[in-house]
Amino acid sequence: MPKSLAYFKGKVVPISDANINIMTHALHYGTAIFEGIRGNWNESEQKLYVFKLKEHYQRLLQGCKIMMMDIPYSVDDLCEITINLLKETKHKQDVYIRPIAYKSEELVANLKLHEIEDDFNLIVIPFGAYLDTEGTIRCTTSSWRRMEDTNVPPRIKVSGNYVNSILAKTEAVLAGFDEAILLNGNGVVSEGSGENLFLVINNELHTPELSDNILTGITRDSIKTIAQNDLKIPVIERRINRSEIYLADEMFLTGTAAHVTAVGELDNRTIGSGSIGPVTKQIQKIYSKAIRGQDPKYLNWCTACEY
Ligand code: PMP
């Protein structure tokens, strides 16, 4: 039986014993940096393939730098802690790995980052599909705008930022859509509530540039590589207007949770044929093999874990 375990205060403990105090700074102010990493179960090899583990921890440490958090671990230490925890939990299914570095001091009414203790925890949970990757999803343009780097930095996964995503996703789902697309303060397309965004236009991939307030997506990077290496199609990072989406040939969202999810509709306008387009389909196929260690070319994107 797989176990529900956490790495908590330097030790592996049952998740039920990993509790934080109500006074914790991060609970009150969103002062935490987290990651979402997937471990993908390869049934025939009986191995869990963890996708881009190092890259996720590099991003986590970038977030820590911006948020003045000092955790006593290098990227290699964090990878090792994660693999050790996976070996103890022994899940034989897809899992979601959630590391979180946070302002752990039990101290409220203290609006600063410096001279406050930090800590690092990690949990692993079974995790299946997040959005429908078999068909297409329906999106709506959010009335909420993606926050600006002059407010809080959108390029990192700081917990407080997710109020923005959660407001947008809630609005979209309550209105009957699957996902929200956020514009930024300039009114140009930014990203989904938890995904980056790509359009296929005339057999080219177009995606918003980093300065349009997107998270520096790790799946986004992988898709850029797949498009250029395998499909031999150009990837163009540029400012994208909302109405361009309505006229695109295909659209898809990318993210650790969402994988590559085809979008069939935005604001009740059908995108392309409304079903998964040929470019999206090819990318999905290559990506889904890569994340399970089934594409020799991309084996270096995965850390295999055996138990
Ligand atoms: N944008 C946001 C706001 C996200 O939360 C995520 C999920 N981490 C992404 C994009 C996709 O990033 P990644 O591919 O690194 O998971």
Side-chain angles (χ1 to χ4, degrees), residues 8 27-28 48-49 56 74 78 80 94 122 216 261 295:
F8 184 70
L27 173 67
H28 295 260
L48 189 77
Y49 281 91
H56 280 282
S74 64
L78 293 164
E80 196 182 318
D94 293 351
L122 172 65
T216 50
T261 299
D295 188 332

Side-chain angles (χ1 to χ4, degrees), residues 116-175:
I116 297 189
E117 281 168 21
D118 309 305
D119 203 354
F120 169 82
N121 300 325
L122 172 65
I123 51 175
V124 179
I125 55 165
F127 194 58
Y130 177 69
L131 291 170
D132 175 14
T133 47
E134 305 288 315
T136 56
I137 63 162
R138 296 176 60 241
C139 295
T140 180
T141 305
S142 184
S143 69
W144 298 96
R145 294 288 175 98
R146 184 78 175 142
M147 65 272 170
E148 297 293 313
D149 198 67
T150 47
N151 305 132
V152 281
R155 69 183 59 242
I156 56 167
K157 284 181 82 73
V158 54
S159 295
N161 284 4
Y162 280 79
V163 172
N164 180 243
S165 290
I166 288 168
L167 286 168
K169 176 87 180 186
T170 304
E171 178 188 59
V173 171
L174 291 181

Side-chain angles (χ1 to χ4, degrees), residues 59 146 157 162 191 193-196 215 217-219 254-256:
R59 186 170 67 186
R146 184 78 175 142
K157 284 181 82 73
Y162 280 79
E191 61 180 347
S193 69
E195 307 85 20
N196 294 114
L215 183 84
I218 289 165
T219 319
T254 65
T256 298

Side-chain angles (χ1 to χ4, degrees), residues 95-108:
V95 297
Y96 191 69
I97 301 159
R98 166 56 58 82
I100 184 161
Y102 65 112
K103 290 283 165 196
S104 58
E105 202 158 321
E106 290 156 16
L107 180 79
V108 291

